[in-house]
Amino acid sequence: MIIIGGGVAGLMAALAAAPHPVTLVNPTTLGPGAASWLSQGGIAAAVGDDDDVSLHIKDTLEAGAGLCNPDVVARIISAGPAVIDTLLAYGVTFDRTGSGARALGLEAAHSRRRILHGGGDRTGATIMKALIEKVQRCPSINIIKASAERIFVDDNGVSGIQIQRDGHRLSLKTDRVLLATGGIGGLFRDTTNPPSAVGQGLILAMEAGAEFKDLEFVQFHPTALAVKESSLPLVSEAVRGEGARLVDEAGNYFMNGKDLAPRDVVARHVFLHRANGHQTFLDISGFSERFSDRFPSISAACNNADIDLSSHLIPVKPAAHYHMGGVKVDEMGRTNIDGLFAAGEVACTGLHGANRLASNSLLEAVVCGQVSGRFMAAQGARRTGALQEITFPAKADATEVRDIMSDYCGVLRSGKALEIASGLLEALAINNPAAALSLKIVEAALERKDSVGSHMRVEFSMEKAA
Ligand code: SIN
């Protein structure tokens, strides 16, 4: 079997499939190139003494604004405590308090402290390092540094993939492929994702004929560091969980005590406050003396950007962060194409609904990567047809797409703006798959004539933005 993508979902799948032989295809050396590596806040699981899986399920359903699949929520959230044990067994170390208890963080819309973190705000890197080490030692996993360019599908399903390695194109035969390629933040001007995250997995799936679900639901994180680059360092929600408050240049607490409201609500407030001419900051004065110990990578990002933390103010703005929609999958990660699976951000399981609860994404990647890896490995072999000819795919170029998506399909949307985006993208889509994918997102946003969760159409129920 072939896994495309070396983030948390792909690595978990490869390990779960062992000893079944796996080829793991990733465009870079395993490590910081994956969005999982950047994850700060952590991984949510009901492991605290005052917590219960039923409370975590309730919080997930509420954040998802009525559009989560309750069965999927129950299944994935219930698996949380067990997969934390698996990660510990794999060598992941989560932070502990001075007394040795698990250090559990609080993030928006969680009714309990349940966010496990590692290395302070370096949770993604902490988990990834342990998984990479384990994958590299696993004899059944063969890692290939290459870009996946195409999934071959015939009447019976998947028959192989085309990759590009060191400038050469070649095809690999297989009857099963797992897409674990991450998200689409790079289709927007400001993103917390690596800029290369332009939906490569969705493009492969789209061209293979896979069905998509909920493409319109793009989560904007309210507090990315407001620097000039387009790939913005995140300022974790955990910072607000520790007591930071959103303020403007005059020191007004414009969230009126609701700094930890669901992420879509906070993102809209920050967006609207900035649209009204204000600057927006996180005020960390309540715990500034502990800040750099608890949040070392955010402190480093501030230092790199010449932000003086002794002012206790961190400039922030919303940025595209996570895609709730994606390739439609069932409980095993199966798509509508025989032999094609998806896990992690590229997939739409139904866990997140219209707005993902913070730190449920690493949980989903771990649980679903593991489930898909096991399931795929247990499948009997399927006869595959001959591989198709090597082709030279058009390059996914997000340069022009970013402005269109940000200006017309961002935090606030309208039918009129989406129609403009659709027209502009149609012209680009013919030979630019990033534009073709963006067009599908815009069409989904046009189709949903409602305001729900992260999808705010200004002509519908604007009061929900209050
Ligand atoms: C954060 O740390 O604020 C992000 C966590 C997440 O996206 O779940």
Side-chain angles (χ1 to χ4, degrees):
M1 67 189 249
I2 292 179
I3 295 175
I4 305 175
V8 163
L11 298 175
M12 284 300 294
L15 290 170
H20 186 90
V22 168
T23 298
L24 197 152
V25 177
N26 196 54
T28 55
T29 305
L30 294 180
S36 304
W37 186 278
L38 301 177
S39 174
Q40 294 182 350
I43 177 163
V47 293
D49 291 341
D50 64 344
D51 205 357
D52 188 81
V53 161
S54 62
L55 296 174
H56 190 180
I57 290 173
K58 184 167 173 285
D59 294 344
T60 301
L61 292 170
E62 277 174 16
L67 292 188
C68 303
N69 178 327
D71 295 337
V72 172
V73 172
R75 179 171 53 79
I76 295 177
I77 299 301
S78 304
V83 293
I84 296 300
D85 289 341
T86 305
L87 291 175
L88 292 169
Y90 282 177
V92 176
T93 43
F94 291 110
D95 295 339
R96 294 195 168 263
T97 63
S99 65
R102 275 180 171 143
L104 298 174
L106 180 67
E107 291 184 2
H110 284 274
S111 59
R112 293 287 185 277
R113 285 192 165 263
R114 63 167 72 98
I115 318 299
L116 292 116
H117 46 89
D121 57 4
R122 296 189 177 120
T123 312
T126 302
I127 295 176
M128 287 276 293
K129 278 181 197 160
L131 296 185
I132 291 170
E133 202 179 313
K134 210 162 161 55
V135 160
Q136 283 169 338
R137 286 200 192 145
C138 181
S140 58
I141 304 172
N142 171 33
I143 303 162
I144 299 185
K145 191 168 148 190
S147 307
E149 293 191 327
R150 196 174 156 207
I151 298 168
F152 295 117
V153 176
D154 59 26
D155 289 348
N156 298 318
V158 167
S159 58
I161 67 168
Q162 175 178 315
I163 60 170
Q164 192 189 152
R165 180 163 63 162
D166 301 330
H168 299 289
R169 292 193 155 86
L170 57 146
S171 38
L172 307 176
K173 211 165 163 57
T174 184
D175 62 352
R176 64 202 84 163
V177 169
L178 176 72
L179 280 173
T181 45
I184 59 158
L187 297 177
F188 292 82
R189 210 164 30 224
D190 293 327
T191 179
T192 60
N193 296 179
S196 57
V198 295
Q200 302 89 326
L202 287 183
I203 291 168
L204 291 172
M206 174 174 74
E207 292 173 348
E211 280 176 24
F212 289 159
K213 186 169 157 43
D214 291 349
L215 285 189
E216 64 276 29
F217 294 121
V218 179
Q219 182 168 74
F220 291 84
H221 198 292
T223 61
L225 194 65
V227 290
K228 290 215 168 58
E229 294 79 32
S230 64
S231 190
L232 308 179
L234 183 66
V235 184
S236 174
E237 227 162 48
V239 173
R240 275 171 284 140
E242 293 297 327
R245 293 289 167 260
L246 280 155
V247 297
D248 63 19
E249 70 290 347
N252 295 318
Y253 290 92
F254 60 90
M255 282 307 297
N256 298 322
K258 293 195 177 146
D259 297 78
L260 286 174
R263 194 170 280 179
D264 59 317
V265 176
V266 183
R268 273 192 295 277
H269 272 79
V270 176
F271 179 88
L272 288 169
H273 210 58
R274 293 175 69 83
N276 286 331
H278 294 283
Q279 294 169 277
T280 46
F281 302 87
L282 277 169
D283 177 351
I284 58 163
S285 45
F287 65 112
S288 53
E289 67 294 340
R290 287 189 285 122
F291 190 81
S292 53
D293 285 342
R294 172 66 180 87
F295 300 108
S297 68
I298 300 172
S299 300
C302 289
N303 284 338
N304 286 342
D306 286 330
I307 294 162
D308 177 9
L309 284 176
S310 68
S311 71
H312 302 161
L313 291 177
I314 302 177
V316 289
K317 64 176 173 178
H321 181 60
Y322 188 86
H323 197 196
M324 274 76 72
V327 184
K328 186 176 168 195
V329 295
D330 71 4
E331 71 278 13
M332 297 302 169
R334 282 177 289 210
T335 70
N336 60 309
I337 298 173
D338 215 2
L340 182 62
F341 296 74
E345 187 172 352
V346 68
C348 180
T349 59
L351 172 67
H352 308 304
N355 177 49
R356 175 178 63 89
L357 185 68
S359 291
N360 267 357
S361 45
L362 275 183
L363 176 65
E364 185 189 48
V366 172
V367 173
C368 296
Q370 192 181 49
V371 167
S372 291
R374 265 191 209 135
F375 182 79
M376 290 171 76
Q379 297 287 285
R382 180 171 47 78
R383 281 172 70 90
T384 54
L387 288 176
Q388 291 145 36
E389 301 254 302
I390 296 276
T391 52
F392 298 85
K395 186 174 174 327
D397 182 354
T399 318
E400 286 177 83
V401 167
R402 278 187 195 117
D403 282 339
I404 300 171
M405 292 301 277
S406 306
D407 293 342
Y408 303 114
C409 191
V411 176
L412 298 186
R413 300 159 174 188
S414 70
K416 225 183 205 165
L418 291 168
E419 291 290 0
I420 295 172
S422 166
L424 294 169
L425 290 167
E426 255 174 43
L428 299 172
I430 301 154
N431 53 14
N432 181 354
L437 173 62
S438 301
L439 182 58
K440 281 200 171 293
I441 297 170
V442 166
E443 284 168 353
L446 269 167
E447 191 65 29
R448 192 174 292 276
K449 296 181 175 43
D450 193 8
S451 288
V452 56
S454 64
H455 174 68
M456 173 55 67
R457 289 274 302 260
V458 294
E459 63 273 59
F460 300 106
S461 329
M462 192 55 191
E463 72 275 9
K464 286 190 199 163

